[in-house]
Amino acid sequence: MIGRLRCLVLDCPDAEELAWFYRQLVGGRIDRPDPRWAVGEGSVVLRGEGGPVLAFQSVADHRPPVWGAPEQQFLLDVLVDDLSAAHESVLALGAVPLDGGGGDPARRVYADPAGHPFRLVGV
């Protein structure tokens, strides 16, 4: 092992807004600032319950990824108990559907308010 994963940092137009979105999606606590995790001015950190740490940094010229493009960089998977209820909830938070999960009825892909893709996976 070379190292340990510290956190996942997402660039976005508004770090506080995107942290709030993910707090509603996966829970956790928003802390600001924290020198162990902060990535600079305009950054916010979300610590989940036993899950990965997500950091958000405001970037003036943020360009969201394009779903399905060859340069697609990542996809966050979020496990949910009730896929239909979770679908309605993320739409109410501002998520945008990207596809129906590639034909798998237990998976649906969305873009968060900054355009990053995430997938709801029914358990």
Side-chain angles (χ1 to χ4, degrees):
M1 176 175 82
I2 295 172
R4 294 178 307 280
L5 182 62
R6 184 170 110 169
C7 68
L8 176 63
V9 181
L10 300 175
D11 289 351
C12 55
D14 185 326
E16 290 187 33
E17 177 182 298
L18 197 57
W20 181 87
F21 174 86
Y22 278 98
R23 181 176 177 270
Q24 301 306 307
L25 181 61
V26 299
R29 196 175 84 224
I30 295 174
D31 294 323
R32 185 174 191 212
D34 183 335
R36 295 172 299 164
W37 304 104
V39 289
E41 187 66 30
S43 66
V44 179
V45 175
L46 174 65
R47 287 184 184 79
E49 300 297 322
V53 172
L54 296 176
F56 308 92
Q57 70 180 4
S58 297
V59 175
D61 60 350
H62 171 70
R63 291 183 315 245
V66 176
W67 175 247
E71 64 274 4
Q72 182 67 44
Q73 298 168 357
F74 70 91
L75 172 69
L76 299 173
D77 271 355
V78 178
L79 297 176
V80 297
D81 293 324
D82 183 334
L83 190 57
S84 294
H87 169 80
E88 295 302 324
S89 294
V90 298
L91 293 180
L93 291 173
V96 175
L98 294 176
D99 77 19
D104 184 341
R107 301 171 187 266
R108 295 185 189 161
V109 180
Y110 305 83
D112 68 24
H116 304 104
F118 69 95
R119 178 172 48 203
L120 297 180
V121 180
V123 292

